[in-house]
Amino acid sequence: MVRYCVRSALSAALVLSALLVTGGCSSQPTEGPCGSGQTRPCHVVLPGATGDGVLSCISGTQTCGGGEWGACQPDGTIISTSGFQGSVDSNGGIHTLGATPSACPNDPCDPTCQYFSSDDGGVGLTPVDGGGGSYFTGQVPLSALPSGWTKVNVSPCTGPSDCQFDSQCVNGTCTLASPGSKNWCSGIDFTAEAACTEGAKNYDFPICNRGSQDATTGLLSVGFDMNPPPSPVCAPVTGGYPSKGSCVVDLSKTPIKAGSCLDIDPVNLVNVTSCTGVSVSGNRDFFVNYDKKIAECNYCDNEGMKKSGATCQTVSSSAYQTTTFTVNYTATCTAPKVPQWRALAYVATTPSSGGTSSDVKFSAQLGDVGGDGGAINLGTAVTIADTPTGGFPSTCGLFGPSPCPPNLTTDFGGNTLAQRSLLKLTITLTPSSDGLVAPTVSTWQVTYTCEDQQ
């Protein structure tokens, strides 16, 4: 009999569920000939999570292929907790990952499994940040504000509390922000530009972050009113405000990075999680973070406006760029064994903005190792996983759920084709179409086994 163990920390809940499923620890059945496609139950032995040496186990299934039983595949979902990461330097380049394979500490199905690890501290990957972004705005000059709004900005201004409408005090004058403007204060600093109308039914209310810190968590409230409040005012929480409805923006889903602006449409519910009682017809005043639920370094520049009839113009500045990272992995096996590339696991995030999602794609090529240690004889690049465009989830573990993990043997065309010593992995990170949000990859893992040549 064969007993499989894995030396990774598992939660007490997972160990308990394993015991409930199997009723105790057992072993994989004795090896022997089998018919193709035949299945049989098996058990994988796991060490206890408490570290006291108590063993527990998970039930699974083996499938026969080529007259031999495959590895025991657990029925439960196990997400990979260890892997290898890359990091990005100031020039947007990837740091070299560890080149020495180690035994997989989190794969109980195959004790011969090998994986690559890194020592970069788990910084992760993200596209090159050009700052700014593109968005729609009414671009109404301060001099063209409707009657009443002209009194909101103080003239001459003396400091941050005197200027609204995405402007700041420069030499005594409230001056509109330039595309990509940030670092107005230390932290998050929400502002609001002039709103606009696209056609008859599409509305864009631009919310900006002119601080030094990205706004990535929390629920941001946006309130709407007919007339501007008295000047100066910092986030009006009294006096019946807002009288024309409010919206909520989930910053974890649509973050606003420093120097960026995000368009919300309260009518068509774009980039908002909910809106209540909103009326946007005619002139409208709106306040970002009017209830002060998100900490800011300046609450006094959060007001914006929509002037009736203002049409949309596009403001563009440098934004996140599509970025590609590559790294070569060399499998090492003792003759006569040869490498068999097996699986890919990863953890990524793919936030959305402007109705489109960011994207992460993994592709790979197989080849040989040249005399100088470089890659030679590289084959055709094959897409291994694509999230979310290709239907893969953002977290893809070694044990599912389907379609995870991507099967490298199958993707490369079978056992013989997947038995090359070098794998060149390419990770392509694509921001949302407006460039305002970017995906990240925090961990990923490639596994292989050493087997008899097919």
Side-chain angles (χ1 to χ4, degrees), residues 78-85 106 125 343-350 359-363 383-408 411 425-429 439-447:
I78 302 177
I79 300 299
S80 173
T81 57
S82 64
F84 37 68
Q85 301 82 32
N106 56 352
L125 304 180
L344 167 73
Y346 60 85
V347 176
T349 62
T350 54
D359 186 82
V360 176
K361 182 171 73 173
F362 295 84
S363 59
T383 297
I384 304 300
D386 195 348
T387 176
T389 304
F392 281 85
S394 57
T395 296
C396 197
L398 282 177
F399 299 99
S402 181
C404 296
N407 188 318
L408 301 183
D411 290 339
L425 182 68
T426 299
I427 307 175
T428 303
L429 299 99
T440 61
V441 179
S442 56
T443 65
W444 71 96
Q445 181 172 358
V446 176
T447 66

Side-chain angles (χ1 to χ4, degrees), residues 15 34 49 62 103 123 189 194 225 243 264 269 351 406 409 419 437 448:
V15 172
C34 57
Q62 281 183 289
V123 176
D189 182 16
D225 213 328
S243 67
I264 68 169
L269 301 182
T409 301
Q419 291 178 341
V437 296
Y448 73 92

Side-chain angles (χ1 to χ4, degrees), residues 220-351:
L220 177 65
S221 298
V222 182
F224 299 83
D225 213 328
M226 181 179 295
N227 299 306
S231 174
V233 65
C234 296
V237 295
T238 59
Y241 195 95
S243 67
K244 297 299 180 182
S246 61
C247 293
V248 175
V249 178
D250 187 343
L251 294 173
S252 66
K253 296 180 179 179
T254 51
I256 310 175
K257 65 190 186 76
S260 295
C261 297
L262 173 73
D263 283 313
I264 68 169
D265 185 339
V267 175
N268 298 293
L269 301 182
V270 177
N271 288 330
V272 295
T273 59
S274 63
C275 289
T276 304
V278 172
S279 171
V280 295
S281 61
N283 294 336
R284 282 291 177 266
D285 164 81
F286 70 107
F287 253 83
V288 184
N289 199 25
Y290 70 90
D291 52 10
K292 296 185 179 181
K293 288 185 177 179
I294 306 293
E296 291 190 57
C297 51
N298 181 14
Y299 289 102
C300 299
D301 58 354
N302 293 24
E303 185 180 7
M305 74 293 192
K306 169 184 169 286
K307 183 179 180 182
S308 181
T311 57
C312 290
Q313 302 178 52
T314 301
V315 174
S316 298
S317 60
S318 180
Y320 282 113
Q321 304 167 20
T322 297
T323 307
T324 299
F325 302 96
T326 61
V327 62
N328 293 336
Y329 296 115
T330 301
T332 56
C333 294
T334 302
K337 300 288 186 180
V338 294
Q340 182 76 61
W341 295 101
R342 286 296 186 188
L344 167 73
Y346 60 85
V347 176
T349 62
T350 54

